[in-house]
Amino acid sequence: MQRRALLAALPALALARRGSAQEMVAVRPLALVDGEVIRLSDLFENAGPRGDVTLGAAPPPGRRMLIEAPQLVAIARLYGLAWRPLSANERVVVERPGRPVGREEITEALRAELLQLGMDEDAELELPGLIPPMVPVTAAVQVAYEGSHFDPASQRFATTLVVMADGMPALRARLTGRALPTVPVVVATRRMLLGDVVTPGDARLIRMRAERVRGGTSQRLEDVVGRQLRRPIGSAVAFIQADLGAPNLVIRNEPVTLVLESPGISLTAAGRALESAAVGETVPVMNLGSRLVVEGTVIGLGRVRVLPGAVPLQRTPPAYLASVPR
């Protein structure tokens, strides 16, 4: 009797185990694949011994595809998986990670190609509408060009970009663009104020498209370093020659030495500058001993030469000089 009861219970136990297996099979809402194909186990959890079966091609790197419920049902039935969708909206998103080929990788190889065709080595490449192709995340990439053409007169070029990477077929894309001439430009490395004197660390030389450079822009470091700003300038902004001048060696309201030189005699006196001026420029100064204002020429740092017989500008200092210390 016991053996008969046990035999009668076996079908029920088998059905229970089958039902448990059915519950264990489930779809993956998001399937990330890193190869060229989609496998059964990419779509279904616990797909069993047939999980490595190839179902089809994976999407290109960086792209995705949808597998809807009817397709999933057909696949499960074909491979004997006990699975049914819980709703008509059930689906699997198959995504293949990717990365774009670096723009520098594309332009570096293209520059080498165009230099052989006569392009100026300082030209800047303009590639309108370039969308870098996607490749597998960890794949080694090789960039090449074929069928390249360059017109020196118009500076226009046309070529075919070829991208080769492991795990994907070679990609080809037609590229067209221009080689734009560039010129050297001196730009500020920091924000500078009116009156600042440019030091070697305040300026650097870059190249810019010639069409974007305004007239009078400084193009040599030696034309900028040591000069004094006549207006403020922002970081990375180009220096304009008209905004630069010789540094002031005499500063307004600062003490100066008056020098009077004539054949066989040289005299000095203490004075105070009434304006700022660079070497070689004329500046009004006040003799602190006589309180007379005369004009002289800046000859060095804090030194002003007064010509013999110079006529004072005013015998009595004006009201705005009343605050000048003696």
Side-chain angles (χ1 to χ4, degrees):
M1 291 294 294
Q2 292 180 350
R3 182 177 181 181
R4 185 179 300 176
L6 180 61
L7 291 175
L10 285 177
L13 291 173
L15 289 174
R17 292 185 63 185
R18 183 178 177 184
S20 175
Q22 289 177 345
E23 294 176 358
M24 292 176 64
V25 177
V27 295
R28 305 178 188 273
L30 176 62
L32 296 177
V33 297
D34 56 5
E36 297 182 74
V37 298
I38 302 174
R39 304 184 188 279
L40 188 65
S41 59
D42 292 326
L43 305 184
F44 295 93
E45 295 181 1
N46 301 318
R50 308 188 70 178
D52 288 336
V53 171
T54 298
L55 302 179
R63 304 289 294 275
R64 59 173 54 184
M65 62 186 298
L66 295 179
I67 301 180
E68 303 288 353
Q71 295 173 283
L72 294 171
V73 170
I75 294 171
R77 183 180 297 127
L78 178 64
Y79 293 101
L81 298 181
W83 177 82
R84 292 291 184 275
L86 298 178
S87 72
N89 295 325
E90 198 157 1
R91 62 178 63 175
V92 175
V93 179
V94 180
E95 183 175 317
R96 188 179 181 188
R99 67 172 178 87
V101 179
R103 195 178 184 94
E104 289 186 1
E105 295 180 75
I106 295 174
T107 56
E108 182 178 353
L110 178 57
R111 178 176 294 278
E113 178 84 1
L114 296 178
L115 285 176
Q116 298 180 10
L117 299 178
M119 183 188 75
D120 181 13
E121 64 179 357
D122 292 323
E124 179 180 325
L125 297 180
E126 182 182 59
L127 289 166
L130 171 63
I131 300 177
M134 302 291 289
V135 295
V137 175
T138 59
V141 178
Q142 183 178 356
V143 176
Y145 291 90
E146 57 187 24
S148 303
H149 172 74
F150 177 72
D151 181 11
S154 65
Q155 297 292 299
R156 293 188 176 276
F157 61 84
T159 186
T160 297
L161 167 67
V162 183
V163 176
M164 294 164 284
D166 298 332
M168 58 175 284
L171 297 177
R172 283 176 167 80
R174 193 64 176 166
L175 298 181
T176 59
R178 290 190 302 160
L180 302 174
T182 63
V183 295
V185 173
V186 183
V187 298
T189 60
R190 64 179 181 90
R191 182 174 178 270
M192 302 183 69
L193 305 177
L194 171 68
D196 284 352
V197 176
V198 183
T199 68
D202 295 331
R204 66 186 180 97
L205 194 65
I206 65 171
R207 297 197 70 89
M208 293 179 59
R209 294 183 185 181
E211 61 188 20
R212 296 180 177 176
V213 179
R214 58 181 288 192
T217 298
S218 300
Q219 296 182 306
R220 302 189 308 168
L221 285 170
E222 53 266 37
D223 294 336
V224 174
V225 175
R227 308 285 283 178
Q228 190 170 38
L229 288 175
R230 295 175 176 171
R231 59 180 298 177
I233 188 172
S235 178
V237 176
F239 289 96
I240 305 299
Q241 281 298 111
D243 296 337
L244 297 166
N248 290 328
L249 299 184
V250 167
I251 307 301
R252 183 175 184 268
N253 281 342
E254 292 294 320
V256 296
T257 299
L258 301 178
V259 180
L260 175 62
E261 296 178 338
S262 60
I265 188 172
S266 177
L267 300 175
T268 61
R272 191 170 296 274
L274 304 184
E275 299 293 343
S276 298
V279 65
E281 294 182 342
T282 301
V283 61
V285 294
M286 184 177 65
N287 186 316
L288 295 183
S290 64
R291 304 291 288 178
L292 296 179
V293 178
V294 295
E295 280 189 335
T297 303
V298 179
I299 59 173
L301 182 62
R303 293 175 63 83
V304 177
R305 176 189 289 121
V306 180
L307 296 177
V311 179
L313 297 180
Q314 300 182 95
R315 299 250 178 221
T316 305
Y320 76 89
L321 295 178
S323 61
V324 177
R326 294 180 179 272

